[in-house]
Amino acid sequence: MSVAPWRSAIARALHQNRSLIYARYLQLATVRTNGRPANRTVVFRGFLEDTDQLKFITDARSEKVEQILQKPWAEACWYFPRTREQFRIHGRLILVGNDNSQPILQKARYATWQQLSDAARLQFAWPDPGKPRTNNQDAFAPPPPNSIEPLANFCLLLLAPVEVEHLELQGEPQNRWLYSYDHQEWSVKAINP
Ligand SMILES: Cc1cc2nc3c(=O)[nH]c(=O)nc-3n(C[C@H](O)[C@H](O)[C@H](O)COP(=O)(O)O)c2cc1C
């Protein structure tokens, strides 16, 4: 598979911003079940092998999951502070949960779980996110989950882009490109900033 043309711009931005741990955080917007927007920060975990799909992780019990099941459309907004550029990545989300029967995706879900730190894995054993907090502090110190076998509520979340907009503030004047996926092909055009 040849990688999408916007991938080299993202790879370059990741490289030039590699000293900033938070350059791997981006905002991911979904649509609430009432049609209004929802937005949150997530960690970029690389691309799914042999695809242009961005990998994230999330908890099946979190609100975004219900939103995604109802409407898979999403937009990520990713700002790289060192190089002063923004990517807006628009596409469909694919949830890979415990019950996903596609071997490649289930394998990727397992591999992603195994690559997590113990602290990151532990969060999936915490009480239900978004539910009222109780005084039971022990609930947040559960036994460490198995590092090989993901907990059932652990989801791999994939974003399959169909449009990527890249804005570079550096340069006089600024640069802005629009990449679009149509008829299984990417095209790119320069647009006004
Ligand atoms: C720096 C940072 C990184 C985060 N990374 C993730 C992540 O990778 N996955 C995730 O589901 N939530 C992550 N969160 C928490 C989300 O922003 C959000 O609070 C949570 O997922 C619940 O969102 P929801 O109610 O819309 O589902 C992160 C938060 C911060 C501040």
Side-chain angles (χ1 to χ4, degrees), residues 22 24-28 30 32 38-45 55-59 61-68 123-124 129-130 155 157:
Y22 52 82
R24 298 183 79 83
Y25 303 160
L26 53 83
Q27 275 64 52
L28 180 68
T30 50
R32 289 177 206 254
N39 202 357
R40 81 284 293 155
T41 307
V42 292
V43 180
F44 169 67
R45 299 195 180 261
K55 286 192 290 188
F56 310 108
I57 61 167
T58 203
D59 193 313
R61 303 168 299 172
S62 67
E63 278 187 24
K64 68 180 83 53
V65 167
E66 199 192 338
Q67 296 161 7
I68 296 162
Q123 295 189 16
F124 290 87
C155 294
L157 181 60

Side-chain angles (χ1 to χ4, degrees), residues 127-186:
D128 279 19
K131 291 278 162 3
R133 191 153 187 169
T134 66
N135 281 331
N136 178 11
Q137 276 309 318
D138 291 349
F140 290 94
N146 186 308
S147 61
I148 308 294
E149 187 82 21
L151 286 176
N153 52 306
F154 172 74
C155 294
L156 175 65
L157 181 60
L158 304 170
L159 176 59
V162 294
E163 197 178 276
V164 176
E165 195 220 277
H166 180 198
L167 172 66
E168 275 186 333
L169 297 184
Q170 264 170 3
E172 285 290 335
Q174 303 171 357
N175 288 307
R176 191 172 169 205
W177 291 277
L178 184 62
Y179 298 84
S180 306
Y181 193 65
D182 205 15
H183 294 96
Q184 314 210 358
E185 241 183 285
W186 283 99

Side-chain angles (χ1 to χ4, degrees), residues 10 12-27 77-87 166-170:
I10 298 232
R12 189 170 54 244
L14 278 166
H15 181 71
Q16 291 177 334
N17 290 267
R18 66 190 180 283
S19 62
L20 307 175
I21 175 77
Y22 52 82
R24 298 183 79 83
Y25 303 160
L26 53 83
Q27 275 64 52
C77 189
W78 200 352
Y79 178 62
F80 290 92
R82 245 198 98 210
T83 47
R84 298 176 60 227
E85 55 193 319
Q86 169 183 270
F87 291 87
H166 180 198
L167 172 66
E168 275 186 333
L169 297 184
Q170 264 170 3

